[in-house]
Amino acid sequence: MLVLTRKLGESITIGDEIKVTIIDCQGKQIKLGIVAPKHVKVHREEIFEKIQEENKKAAKVSKEALMEAAQKLKRNEKPSDKINNDTSYS
């Protein structure tokens, strides 16, 4: 881990596109300003951990649940033969 000391208003640069600036400091709490491209995701650590946890839960879907969902999709998406083959007009 790289440890840097910065004063209020000073910044650090990460790579060519990310800049972190010390905006405010009150007691044990600091405010950071982060400039990064839109494709770079920036989260507080506790939020990032929750996102990772939810992603892991979503990846653990059972085979049975996937098969059931696929069957439901097939039933709902398949157009009836009568509609596709009926070319007569009354």
Side-chain angles (χ1 to χ4, degrees):
M1 174 188 299
L2 173 64
V3 178
L4 301 171
T5 302
R6 300 281 71 202
K7 294 178 183 177
L8 189 62
E10 294 182 334
S11 302
I12 63 167
T13 302
I14 302 170
D16 294 330
E17 300 179 311
I18 301 171
K19 182 177 178 180
V20 180
T21 304
I22 307 301
I23 302 296
D24 191 18
C25 183
Q26 295 179 356
K28 292 184 176 184
Q29 191 174 47
I30 63 167
K31 288 185 181 178
L32 301 174
I34 302 169
V35 177
K38 290 187 180 217
H39 70 274
V40 175
K41 297 177 181 176
V42 179
H43 300 287
R44 296 185 323 226
E45 185 174 20
E46 63 274 15
I47 300 299
F48 178 76
E49 288 172 355
K50 286 182 181 181
I51 291 169
Q52 295 294 81
E53 185 179 310
E54 290 299 317
N55 288 342
K56 286 179 185 177
K57 286 180 186 177
K60 291 183 180 180
V61 176
S62 70
K63 183 178 178 180
E64 292 79 18
L66 287 175
M67 294 298 289
E68 182 181 336
Q71 289 172 356
K72 286 180 179 179
L73 283 173
K74 283 181 183 179
R75 286 194 297 264
N76 290 335
E77 291 181 354
K78 184 179 177 185
S80 73
D81 291 333
K82 183 177 180 182
I83 293 172
N84 286 339
N85 294 330
D86 187 6
T87 56
S88 63
Y89 299 98
S90 24

